[in-house]
Amino acid sequence: MYLPENIKNCINLLENAGFAAYAVGGCVRDACLGLSPHDYDLCTSALPEQTEEVFRDFRLVLAGEKHGTVTVLTEGGPVEITTFRTEGGYRDNRHPDWVKFVPDIEGDLARRDFTVNAMAYSPKRGFADPFGGREDLKKHILCSVGDPEARFAEDSLRILRGVRFAARFALTPEENTMAAMLSQVGLMENLARERVFEELCKLLLAAKAEDITRFAPILAAVIPELRPMIGFDQHSPHHAYDLITHTAHVVEGVPPKLPLRWAALLHDTGKVTTFTLDATGRGHFYGHARDSAAIADTILRRLKAPTALREEAVTLIGRHMTRLQPDRKFLRRQVSKFGFPMVEAMLSLQEADMGSKGTGEDNGHAIFSEVRQMLADLKAEDACLSLKDLAVRGNDLMALGFRGKEIGVCLNRLLEQVLEEQLPNEKNALLAWAAEQKEEL
Ligand code: ATP
Ligand code: MG
């Protein structure tokens, strides 16, 4: 297994001082999959104070020392080195009540959540893989280390971590692991909302449609508003999928950006509350975008999502039925009001929504392409879309005799005229029009 120089160096320094040392956890898993790890964690038989001694010539961060972690600042970046340890207790289903240092790597690997995360590697000692993580990776299996029920009962965040790893690496939970994930979902109520939110964010960025559908009951345990969407028949010739399957495809269909992925996940929550059946047996969802936006707002507040993310997602959801049209004036207004990134996000959500009905009928792709092109043109033109782009400033209007509130009113009217393409964004033309208006104000 390839290890960067600074990591090899840290392992060698520990080994030369008589301690066992390994790269461990995510980096070993990623390397086995042929992916490049985003960081390398080390574990060692050295006690924290012994690690400190070995790295006395380095700058150290000792914030995690109580739990056995010493962070060494190497030229290649910070490296976390943790003493082999077991942990136990978990009376709050969250934090271990105690950690205990152990002499062997096996004891350390046994505390880890899944077999694919419970592997270590040392250039000198080779792989430590007592739970068959490499074999499971080959077979695309996610399997708890030890008794799955007990492991999820210790720390129920592992259920969501399992969902995330299964999504990220296309793994199927082994039967007992899956059964325990489902039987222990209720324990996630005890988790801090922020941790659930953080885990869901990572999942949403990695998720394919099938991940949302196969793990829907687990997601519904942390977002109960999703539960009625499972198996929900839309009674519409335009929808072949039930609501959660449609939602799952929309999640996969939007670019992996958090506000968009959250908007996709929650965009149809209001379909449940607005559902009506007409005399012909067809389903309708009048005003569902507004209901969905309100529900999403409640969910994201409950999960303590950052305000900016929540607001962006809620706006996207509230406007997902207000179709963007290939109409320059309309698009200029939208961009003027929401900015380019937001309008582009709206377009992505609407396109994914239309393309996720499962009926194979025309999803309006041509229109969306046209809108996308028009937006690109607007951007390239550097068109005037807000007061700051206007060729006239407040001072210019003051010179014409405008005072106080009149100035703002007039600037906004000028912007209206430019957006409507009634006036060019040129100083003289704008000032001439303003002078004419002055009488009316
Ligand atoms: P990522 O690439 O997402 O960082 P990772 O496997 O490195 O994946 P981390 O959350 O960084 O995940 O944790 C590092 C290692 O610590 C894991 O591989 C796992 O062995 C162990 N671990 C982390 N959280 C838990 C937990 N809640 N329960 C048991 N083991 C855990
Ligand atoms: Mg990690």
Side-chain angles (χ1 to χ4, degrees):
M1 169 176 160
Y2 165 83
L3 294 174
E5 278 313 310
N6 66 320
I7 300 297
K8 273 197 274 194
N9 191 30
C10 289
I11 293 180
N12 285 339
L13 285 170
L14 285 161
E15 290 280 355
N16 292 343
F19 302 106
Y22 294 83
V24 68
C27 66
V28 181
R29 174 199 66 218
D30 291 354
C32 288
L33 286 165
L35 305 169
S36 51
H38 62 82
D39 59 10
Y40 289 80
D41 295 326
L42 300 186
C43 63
T44 180
S45 59
L47 294 170
E49 54 275 20
Q50 294 171 320
T51 303
E52 277 172 53
E53 177 59 22
V54 170
F55 292 94
R56 61 188 173 277
D57 296 335
F58 288 73
R59 281 174 57 211
L60 304 176
V61 180
L62 302 176
E65 208 185 1
K66 211 173 55 183
H67 297 106
T69 302
V70 173
T71 303
V72 178
L73 303 179
T74 73
E75 275 180 14
V79 180
E80 285 190 7
I81 304 180
T82 305
T83 304
F84 297 152
R85 61 172 214 223
T86 59
E87 49 193 42
Y90 290 98
R91 273 173 301 187
D92 61 357
N93 306 114
R94 188 175 155 195
H95 297 110
D97 296 341
W98 49 265
V99 308
K100 193 171 83 188
F101 299 136
V102 294
D104 303 309
I105 180 79
E106 284 77 15
D108 183 277
L109 295 175
R111 76 173 160 90
R112 294 171 187 270
D113 46 7
F114 300 101
T115 61
V116 297
N117 287 345
M119 301 186 274
Y121 174 81
S122 132
K124 182 173 158 194
R125 299 161 195 266
F127 281 97
D129 181 14
F131 305 104
R134 280 174 299 174
E135 195 58 30
D136 283 349
L137 271 186
K138 265 193 218 131
K139 293 198 240 155
H140 300 281
I141 287 174
L142 181 85
C143 185
S144 288
V145 170
D147 173 41
E149 258 187 40
R151 301 311 308 282
F152 294 133
E154 276 172 6
D155 175 6
S156 58
L157 191 72
R158 289 175 186 153
I159 299 173
L160 286 181
R161 284 174 57 86
V163 170
R164 166 160 69 93
F165 291 120
R168 192 155 132 212
F169 303 115
L171 307 176
T172 304
E174 168 276 335
E175 198 181 331
N176 294 324
T177 298
M178 186 68 198
M181 285 168 100
L182 290 170
S183 72
Q184 304 294 58
V185 281
L187 293 176
M188 289 194 289
E189 269 175 35
N190 303 331
L191 292 169
R193 299 290 111 194
E194 294 89 334
R195 294 178 83 211
V196 170
F197 175 74
E198 207 181 301
E199 205 53 58
L200 288 174
C201 285
K202 292 182 188 169
L203 167 66
L204 281 176
L205 294 178
K208 297 261 184 286
E210 57 166 340
D211 302 317
I212 302 293
T213 48
R214 70 187 166 135
F215 295 116
I218 293 172
L219 297 177
V222 283
I223 307 177
E225 290 84 349
L226 297 179
R227 189 176 309 284
M229 296 168 70
I230 302 172
F232 189 104
D233 181 348
Q234 305 196 55
H235 294 272
S236 162
H238 300 304
H239 284 279
Y241 296 140
D242 75 326
L243 207 44
I244 201 72
T245 309
H246 163 68
T247 295
H249 281 90
V250 180
V251 170
E252 178 176 335
V254 297
K257 292 184 187 151
L258 280 179
L260 253 177
R261 288 268 160 129
W262 274 104
L265 182 70
L266 304 178
H267 81 283
D268 271 353
T269 44
K271 276 199 168 175
V272 174
T273 49
T274 57
F275 177 63
T276 53
L277 262 186
D278 69 18
T280 67
R282 192 160 157 192
H284 297 281
F285 308 94
Y286 300 114
H288 82 269
R290 210 184 46 213
D291 267 37
S292 299
I295 294 169
D297 189 70
T298 305
I299 293 170
L300 290 169
R301 280 178 196 274
R302 194 168 64 219
L303 290 172
K304 300 197 164 60
T307 308
L309 185 153
R310 170 171 52 79
E311 287 177 349
E312 194 174 335
V314 167
T315 302
L316 287 170
I317 294 170
R319 301 194 61 84
H320 84 272
M321 295 302 288
T322 312
R323 294 277 178 242
L324 294 169
Q325 301 297 334
D327 167 338
R328 276 178 60 91
K329 279 186 204 167
F330 170 79
L331 289 178
R332 287 168 85 118
R333 288 195 162 279
Q334 297 292 308
V335 174
S336 165
K337 193 160 170 203
F338 297 105
F340 272 111
M342 191 65 169
V343 176
E344 281 159 353
M346 284 176 192
L347 184 62
S348 297
L349 180 60
Q350 294 187 5
E351 188 166 23
D353 189 19
M354 291 295 283
S356 301
K357 300 184 169 187
T359 54
E361 69 189 50
D362 176 28
N363 57 20
H365 181 72
I367 290 180
F368 289 113
S369 298
E370 219 179 314
V371 172
R372 191 159 275 122
Q373 185 58 51
M374 267 187 195
L375 283 173
D377 292 345
L378 274 181
K379 216 184 223 173
E381 277 167 26
D382 218 359
C384 169
L385 297 164
S386 67
L387 287 180
K388 71 174 172 24
D389 306 325
L390 210 57
V392 159
R393 300 258 163 260
N395 288 345
D396 301 318
L397 294 183
M398 279 169 85
L400 284 185
F402 284 83
R403 291 290 173 268
K405 272 191 192 158
E406 291 170 9
I407 297 171
V409 171
C410 186
L411 283 173
N412 278 303
R413 287 194 186 169
L414 286 170
L415 178 61
E416 284 273 304
Q417 294 297 308
V418 174
L419 288 173
E420 286 294 326
E421 301 185 346
Q422 298 296 313
L423 285 174
N425 187 24
E426 290 164 15
K427 192 164 178 176
N428 287 337
L430 296 178
L431 288 180
W433 190 85
E436 270 175 41
Q437 296 289 304
K438 174 115 181 57
E439 311 306 312
E440 291 175 30
L441 280 173

